[in-house]
Amino acid sequence: MSDQLIRFVSKDNQFRAIAVETTLLCDAARRLHNTDPTATVALARVTTGAALLGGLLKGDQRLALAIEGNGPLQKLHAETDAYGHVRSSIKNPLANLPPRDDCFDVVNAIGKAGFLRVIKDLGLKEPYQGMVQLQTSEIGDDIAYYLTTSEQVPSAVALGVSLTPQAEVQKAGGILIQALPGCSDRAISQIEARLRSLLPISSLLQAGESMEQILTGIFTDLPGNPPDKISLIFRCNCTREQVAGILNSLGQDELTEIAEKQEDVEITCEYCRQSYRFSPTELAELIG
């Protein structure tokens, strides 16, 4: 069984809806980065948010979501593509913050001052980049703010993450709803009211509801045709050749200095934690 992305357009063509369950993805990120519980929830939210935005991509398009704040986590980053491949990373995996109001203190772990950045590779000459200041550091709210202000598409985002008593990811998922051109103010108000009355996504998932059932609770007019579904999986595209290219980009002088130390150099991928070791001989070959 794998995580899944579901997307559809409402029968009246007024809304686009994307829903994801990301439990396996988020727990994989937790294991790879050895995060503490608060950092786990923050990283899971960013991972889920990126997966949702991936539902807007087509073909070979790619997207990166980055959040930088003045809290102890410093920076969170996630990447995805139109095929459901997702990877994520965190600068500092230990928030070391106690719960606040019986909830994980993600807001202060991220920090109340900072930026959310979205980079899209749409197959053009240069990637598209958009950035907004963090509004609440709740991540879902900040993604919705970015989509509404920077991309001019009225959007609502709900993210949910719950942990087991052992601090593993128990359930994770999210919903993105966007108003399409011509959508009426009345229809938007109706959907907003339904979202306000909705139980937390994590609670609904824990109760055994699927993302499709959750969407049914928001939209009573699911399309007659089955929604489009894509499996979500963790995949990192790092290779030894790419890492060698990074070393080569240091420049001949710096690379020569490293090689002269006659020590192996080890570089670890920030996403999958795969380590790549280069011997002095291999470094010399890079220098040419």
Side-chain angles (χ1 to χ4, degrees), residues 38 45 70-71 97 100 104-112 136-138:
T38 301
R45 290 182 184 177
N70 63 349
L97 290 177
R100 184 180 182 188
F104 295 108
D105 193 3
V106 172
V107 170
N108 285 309
I110 291 173
K112 295 182 179 179
T136 67
S137 297
E138 289 286 356

Side-chain angles (χ1 to χ4, degrees), residues 69-281:
N70 63 349
L73 301 184
Q74 299 179 37
K75 182 177 180 179
L76 302 101
H77 189 98
E79 294 184 0
T80 188
D81 59 22
Y83 303 103
H85 304 144
V86 184
R87 63 179 187 172
S88 56
S89 67
I90 187 168
K91 181 72 172 179
N92 177 21
L94 303 176
N96 289 321
L97 290 177
R100 184 180 182 188
D101 299 327
D102 295 324
C103 296
F104 295 108
D105 193 3
V106 172
V107 170
N108 285 309
I110 291 173
K112 295 182 179 179
F115 297 91
L116 178 149
R117 183 180 289 106
V118 174
I119 303 108
K120 292 182 182 180
D121 182 355
L122 303 177
L124 305 176
K125 289 184 178 180
E126 296 293 333
Y128 165 84
Q129 296 193 44
M131 184 175 68
V132 294
Q133 287 187 322
L134 296 176
Q135 301 299 301
T136 67
S137 297
E138 289 286 356
I139 301 182
D141 293 343
D142 290 310
I143 294 173
Y145 178 80
Y146 163 80
L147 292 169
T148 301
T149 58
S150 291
E151 299 196 2
Q152 303 297 305
V153 182
S155 305
V157 176
L159 306 176
V161 182
S162 63
L163 305 185
T164 69
Q166 295 75 36
E168 299 172 348
V169 177
Q170 183 178 44
K171 289 291 182 181
I175 291 175
L176 164 62
I177 298 175
Q178 295 188 311
L180 297 176
C183 183
S184 68
D185 292 340
R186 181 173 177 273
I188 291 175
S189 297
Q190 287 178 337
I191 292 298
E192 287 177 340
R194 292 175 191 172
L195 288 173
R196 284 193 298 268
S197 65
L198 194 70
L199 290 173
I201 299 295
S202 56
S203 298
L204 293 171
L205 289 173
Q206 285 185 70
E209 290 199 35
S210 67
M211 294 310 303
E212 193 164 352
Q213 289 172 324
I214 294 173
L215 284 177
T216 304
I218 301 171
F219 293 91
T220 57
D221 60 345
L222 278 172
N225 295 323
D228 184 23
K229 297 181 180 181
I230 299 174
S231 293
L232 297 172
I233 60 172
F234 176 88
R235 178 175 292 181
C236 186
N237 56 8
C238 71
T239 64
R240 186 175 181 82
E241 290 72 21
Q242 286 179 330
V243 175
I246 294 172
L247 283 171
N248 220 7
S249 69
L250 296 175
Q252 190 169 33
D253 291 343
E254 187 172 351
L255 202 54
T256 299
E257 184 179 342
I258 295 172
E260 287 176 347
K261 294 180 180 179
Q262 292 298 304
E263 297 176 352
D264 287 355
V265 172
E266 185 174 274
I267 296 179
T268 301
C269 174
E270 66 175 301
Y271 298 100
C272 67
R273 313 309 296 167
Q274 170 71 44
S275 293
Y276 297 90
R277 186 180 294 272
F278 294 83
S279 67
T281 301

